[in-house]
Amino acid sequence: MNETTNNVGGIAADRLRSIIERVERLEDERKALGADIRYVFTEAKCAGFDVKAIKQIIKLRKQEPAEVEEQETLVETYRRALGV
C-alpha cells in the first residue's frame, strides 16, 4: 500500500477513516432507533395510553427499587408539606 494512504503526518489514515465510518454508521442506527421509538409511542397514544405516564414508568424501571422508593417517599413528604 501507498505510505501516504496509511500514515499521514503521523496519523494512521486508514484506521482513522475506519473509526469515523463506524461512528457514522452507529449514528445512523441511533437515528433509526429514535424513529422506531417515536413510532411505538405514537402507537401507544393511538391505543389510548398516556405517553407521559409510559415514559415515567420506563424511567422508574431503569432505577433501583430502593432508589424509586426513596424518591416516592420524598415526593410524598413534599406534597404533604405543600398540602397538595
Side-chain angles (χ1 to χ4, degrees):
M1 285 195 171
N2 186 336
E3 189 65 30
T4 59
T5 303
N6 292 331
N7 193 332
V8 179
I11 297 174
D14 290 341
R15 178 79 170 139
L16 178 60
R17 184 177 299 105
S18 170
I19 289 170
I20 289 170
E21 288 171 353
R22 286 172 38 214
V23 169
E24 288 171 340
R25 277 193 303 276
L26 290 170
E27 286 176 345
D28 288 342
E29 288 177 27
R30 180 170 45 190
K31 285 180 192 174
L33 287 173
D36 291 347
I37 291 169
R38 284 189 299 279
Y39 177 80
V40 171
F41 281 127
T42 300
E43 180 182 337
K45 186 175 181 177
C46 289
F49 294 106
D50 184 307
V51 172
K52 269 178 123 174
I54 291 172
K55 288 181 179 183
Q56 281 184 302
I57 299 256
I58 292 168
K59 182 179 175 184
L60 289 173
R61 288 171 52 113
K62 291 179 183 179
Q63 297 175 350
E64 293 295 321
E67 186 180 336
V68 172
E69 186 176 335
E70 179 182 334
Q71 194 173 37
E72 288 175 349
T73 300
L74 188 56
V75 168
E76 185 58 33
T77 301
Y78 288 175
R79 289 178 70 182
R80 283 189 192 141
L82 295 172
V84 178

